[in-house]
Amino acid sequence: MKGLILVGGYGTRLRPLTLTTPKPLVEFGNRPMILHQIEALANAGVTDIVLAVNYRPEVMVETLKKYEKEFGVSITFSVETEPLGTAGPLKLAEEVLKKDDSPFFVLNSDVICDYPFDELVAFHKAHGGAGTIVATKVDEPSKYGVIVHDIATPNLIDRFVEKPVEFVGNRINAGLYILNPEVIDLIELKPTSIEKETFPILVENKSLYSFDLEGYWMDVGQPKDFLAGTVLYLNSVSKKDPKKLVDASAVDYEVVGNVLVDSTAKIAKGSKIGPDVVIGPGVVIGEGARLSTSVVLKNSTIKDHALVKNTIVGWNCTIGKWARTDGVTVMGDDVAIKDEVYVNGGKVLPHKTIGANVETESIIM
Ligand code: GDD
């Protein structure tokens, strides 16, 4: 089978992390975001993965090529000279996606869930339509594509409304599809939206179905959702693969709830970690430090008695003694927060040192 991941855009909503690292490579749960999807596709029997990008992918090529062997897949980059939207990239990658008659997956790149791809394939083959969209329910559907069902035929989509201004329902497009190769014949090689242009044709042809997702789902393309997604992801790991999380009885620091720590991190006795914390490789955490609902990326240091809450600490950062961070603070690469300083809702650009309190949401350049 084949799969295409839509990796367009510059990841502006996840700045300042994406100022130095392409979004798909930002670690979520201690692994590049896109690796969660590549692994799930490989587990579902996908052998050819196309990454549809509209910027120069050198860093990604270098990082991702090494995973081809690990997952037994071929990863190719399909580079657009102008952004082709969410459907155009399928046409551009036609050669790979149409190399056989089997259906292919299409994934939006920031989506985190348990990826039920085997069940999705079985469901898709059983209904016989041209496409299946994975659906999930959300409280605020207006920023998503909303799916309305046909009353007579279960799961047949009657209407697809991208970013509705008026409420039409709360079952939304989760950004994961499986499509038959002939769907590509509906798309021209130009900037095209799959949601606004291709799906309506399939709906008209009564050929588009939805598959209800079980369990958690989150689009983690912005900091608040990245942290919320981390909470959901860790909860899922605690049920499916609890050995990956820290066993509180086996460490000499205090652990609360779900905590994921890289084996090379050093955490001092007397610190309290959790709930919902991810600590990356080479991270050092001092005595009496307190972390909750936060992600600390590679090679950062949290000094003694610092309090880190609702924060994404970027790579190579330092948080000083008795310093405090909260309010969805995001630190880019190589940021330092001095001792005793308080940062609330700061988005701190790479290589900055913060020496005075930041009390309200702001961008620090
Ligand atoms: N290669 C490529 N080229 N990828 C693109 C381009 C492009 O020109 N434009 C967007 N993408 C990618 C984005 O990187 C993302 O993975 C996906 O296509 C959809 O991105 P957006 O167009 O930003 O849509 P959205 O996130 O606001 O909404 C989409 O996702 C929702 C679920 O999170 C839609 O598919 C909604 O219907 C859906 O509910």
Side-chain angles (χ1 to χ4, degrees):
M1 287 185 76
K2 307 139 294 180
L4 178 141
I5 309 179
L6 288 161
V7 203
Y10 298 94
T12 43
R13 287 181 293 184
L14 209 53
R15 279 181 184 163
L17 299 172
T18 45
L19 289 172
T20 51
T21 299
K23 187 169 60 171
L25 299 185
V26 171
E27 297 90 342
F28 178 87
N30 273 346
R31 316 173 68 203
M33 259 159 77
I34 202 160
L35 222 54
H36 294 268
Q37 297 188 320
I38 291 176
E39 184 179 25
L41 288 172
N43 287 342
V46 171
T47 49
D48 295 86
I49 298 179
V50 179
L51 300 187
V53 293
N54 53 31
Y55 50 86
R56 293 161 68 83
E58 281 85 0
V59 201
M60 290 214 323
V61 174
E62 210 178 291
T63 314
L64 294 178
K65 275 285 166 189
K66 64 172 184 268
Y67 293 111
E68 286 192 313
K69 236 185 174 168
E70 183 179 335
F71 295 116
V73 293
S74 142
I75 301 176
T76 50
F77 287 80
S78 176
V79 186
E80 297 147 47
T81 46
E82 62 167 331
L84 289 176
T86 47
L90 275 59
K91 188 72 177 175
L92 190 64
E94 183 170 35
E95 214 179 295
V96 179
L97 301 180
K98 273 188 154 182
K99 71 179 240 191
D100 57 32
D101 294 340
S102 67
F104 59 88
F105 293 96
V106 178
L107 275 49
N108 286 353
S109 67
D110 309 335
V111 168
I112 286 289
C113 64
D114 280 333
Y115 310 110
F117 290 153
D118 289 335
E119 295 89 330
L120 180 60
V121 173
F123 175 83
H124 179 75
K125 288 187 174 160
H127 67 61
T132 307
I133 299 179
V134 175
T136 187
K137 283 189 178 168
V138 293
D139 294 334
E140 275 180 49
S142 61
K143 53 178 183 165
Y144 302 104
V146 174
I147 290 165
V148 182
H149 279 141
D150 186 280
I151 298 171
T153 320
N155 295 96
L156 178 65
I157 300 177
D158 188 42
R159 240 163 31 120
F160 184 93
V161 192
E162 183 64 16
K163 318 248 160 60
V165 266
E166 277 176 16
F167 184 86
V168 282
N170 66 349
R171 182 179 275 112
I172 63 132
N173 166 20
L176 312 169
Y177 326 121
I178 184 161
L179 304 171
N180 288 350
E182 69 263 20
V183 172
I184 297 178
D185 300 339
L186 305 172
I187 303 167
E188 285 179 60
L189 189 59
K190 61 174 197 186
T192 316
S193 159
I194 198 166
E195 298 87 351
K196 292 185 181 154
E197 294 166 73
T198 317
F199 289 162
I201 303 175
L202 295 176
V203 167
E204 187 66 34
N205 294 346
K206 300 213 171 293
S207 207
L208 190 62
Y209 289 75
S210 82
F211 170 88
D212 286 324
L213 183 71
E214 286 196 8
Y216 77 106
W217 176 88
M218 187 62 84
D219 181 331
V220 297
Q222 43 191 314
K224 186 169 154 277
D225 297 338
F226 188 93
L227 288 173
T230 298
V231 174
L232 299 174
Y233 170 74
L234 291 177
N235 181 46
S236 168
V237 174
S238 77
K239 292 186 178 127
K240 299 199 153 170
D241 201 359
K243 283 199 186 108
K244 274 194 181 159
L245 301 181
V246 177
D247 172 1
S249 66
V251 294
D252 59 4
Y253 51 91
E254 190 179 340
V255 174
V256 186
N258 299 326
V259 173
L260 178 67
V261 175
D262 184 88
S263 60
T264 59
K266 290 193 171 58
I267 302 178
K269 203 169 161 177
S271 57
K272 187 171 169 185
I273 316 291
D276 305 311
V277 171
V278 177
I279 293 176
V283 168
V284 178
I285 296 185
E287 223 172 274
R290 175 78 181 94
L291 279 75
S292 64
T293 321
S294 292
V295 173
V296 186
L297 298 175
K298 202 168 170 178
N299 295 336
S300 284
T301 300
I302 314 283
K303 293 199 174 164
D304 300 350
H305 307 290
L307 174 64
V308 178
K309 269 172 82 179
N310 302 309
T311 298
I312 305 173
V313 181
W315 313 266
N316 312 301
C317 293
T318 306
I319 297 187
K321 288 184 185 175
W322 297 102
R324 287 179 299 146
T325 63
D326 199 350
V328 195
T329 287
V330 187
M331 300 159 63
D333 182 33
D334 180 36
V335 163
I337 293 178
K338 290 202 159 173
D339 293 352
E340 296 175 35
V341 166
Y342 173 53
V343 181
N344 182 31
K347 308 288 176 280
V348 191
L349 268 62
H351 317 298
K352 293 285 154 203
T353 297
I354 309 288
N357 290 352
V358 176
E359 306 209 354
T360 50
E361 211 171 292
S362 44
I363 298 170
I364 299 121
M365 315 209 240

